[in-house]
Amino acid sequence: MGNPIRSLLDTLLELFYPSNCVGCGQPQDVGVLLCEQCKETSPRVQAPFCRRCSRPFEGIIVGEFSCPNCEDRPPAFDCVVSTYQAKGVLRELIHRFKYGRQFYLRRVLTDFLVEAMQDVRIQGNPADYLVPVPLHPTRFRERGFNQADALAETLSQRTQLPILRCLERRRYTTTQTRYDRQERMQNLRNAFSLRKSSDVREKHLVLLDDVLTTGSTLHECARVLRAAGAESVRAVTVARG
Ligand SMILES: [Zn+2]
Ligand SMILES: [Zn+2]
């Protein structure tokens, strides 16, 4: 759901502050949104990691592997690509974007999604649509926008992949930060449903969210999409919490 006034503000802010790092505020070359020093505070997820949920694994593993979580309870998504850890400046930027209404940050956050989209797990197979994780209407009113949807708009412009808003959040769930994986899954059960008149049969979908934590939100969304006949469901996030 694009907001034209917000998009205009976004563009104006970019025009007026074109060459300062959004992290530290230091002057940069034109077009540089985040300086190298700031970027380095958020480490890349290094191999070896689980090919399914991108969870990094300590030690030496050659080739592809699935982590114990994914072996134990295979997630409904084929994979989630999350290239950076939500630490340091990136963590701050996500927070400022999501809760501080600094909407202009979506451009720099989209850079991380563009990088995730380059992953062989995404590039290796066709993709038809980006599917942003929906917010419950109550949460939407509180926050004023859906961060996943806003990021999908900029990612769609950059990848030429159309957006399919085929999911809705029908249950209002309390904040999940206190819950472990098992409790989160319970809490989210049936929280999402397919929107009326949406057709995802035989489609290759790429779910999109800001931060990956336990993966239970993406799992629930993917479960609904699969049940509705989606051919494949992969996911990308800006970072991994
Ligand atoms: Zn910086
Ligand atoms: Zn895993």
Side-chain angles (χ1 to χ4, degrees):
M1 281 143 274
N3 180 333
I5 294 170
R6 190 162 270 139
S7 298
L8 180 64
L9 279 174
D10 198 17
T11 312
L12 286 172
L13 278 166
E14 282 163 9
L15 286 173
F16 286 114
Y17 302 101
S19 51
N20 285 345
C21 170
V22 294
C24 61
Q26 293 297 313
Q28 302 298 319
D29 292 337
V30 173
V32 176
L33 301 172
L34 188 65
C35 76
E36 281 307 311
Q37 285 91 320
C38 284
K39 207 171 171 189
E40 277 167 15
T41 63
S42 318
R44 275 188 79 101
V45 176
Q46 300 281 4
F49 51 80
C50 172
R51 68 160 300 280
R52 208 129 188 206
C53 72
S54 289
R55 193 166 87 142
F57 195 83
E58 304 264 323
I60 300 161
I61 288 167
V62 181
E64 293 194 334
F65 85 103
S66 288
C67 72
N69 268 350
C70 292
E71 284 292 323
D72 201 29
R73 285 163 176 266
F77 49 77
D78 298 288
C79 67
V80 47
V81 180
S82 198
T83 317
Y84 287 86
Q85 293 182 34
K87 290 187 176 158
V89 173
L90 180 55
R91 188 192 160 94
E92 262 171 54
L93 295 179
I94 293 168
H95 206 268
R96 279 162 53 192
F97 172 63
K98 205 163 155 180
Y99 305 108
R101 301 184 177 236
Q102 297 188 21
F103 201 69
Y104 68 97
L105 291 173
R106 75 170 171 168
R107 223 178 98 195
V108 67
L109 295 178
T110 303
D111 287 345
F112 291 87
L113 289 167
V114 168
E115 206 170 320
M117 293 293 287
Q118 306 302 318
D119 191 281
V120 64
R121 287 171 288 172
I122 304 290
Q123 292 299 316
N125 287 295
D128 298 314
Y129 294 103
L130 294 171
V131 179
V133 169
L135 268 190
H136 189 274
T138 308
R139 191 57 56 80
F140 183 84
R141 280 194 296 275
E142 285 166 9
R143 194 172 294 165
F145 72 106
N146 172 2
Q147 72 279 3
D149 202 282
L151 292 167
E153 282 177 357
T154 32
L155 187 62
S156 174
Q157 284 164 13
R158 293 187 49 187
T159 58
Q160 309 302 319
L161 265 185
I163 301 173
L164 192 65
R165 294 182 175 94
C166 57
L167 288 173
E168 63 189 357
R169 194 160 191 149
R170 56 181 178 191
R171 260 192 36 230
Y172 186 80
T173 46
T174 47
T175 179
Q176 299 219 92
T177 37
R178 291 172 294 109
Y179 293 178
D180 67 15
R181 187 164 177 267
Q182 180 78 37
E183 289 169 324
R184 279 177 191 237
M185 282 191 166
Q186 286 295 333
N187 189 37
L188 282 171
R189 189 94 189 148
N190 300 323
F192 299 95
S193 58
L194 197 74
R195 272 197 176 166
K196 274 200 197 87
S197 78
S198 294
D199 186 359
V200 297
R201 283 173 295 175
E202 291 166 36
K203 296 286 187 286
H204 297 278
L205 306 173
V206 179
L207 277 165
L208 189 158
D209 207 358
D210 55 346
V211 179
L212 166 71
T213 44
T214 61
S216 36
T217 300
L218 293 171
H219 167 75
E220 269 305 301
C221 290
R223 205 173 58 79
V224 170
L225 295 171
R226 282 238 186 260
E231 182 70 26
S232 72
V233 184
R234 288 163 292 166
V236 289
T237 69
V238 173
R240 177 184 178 95

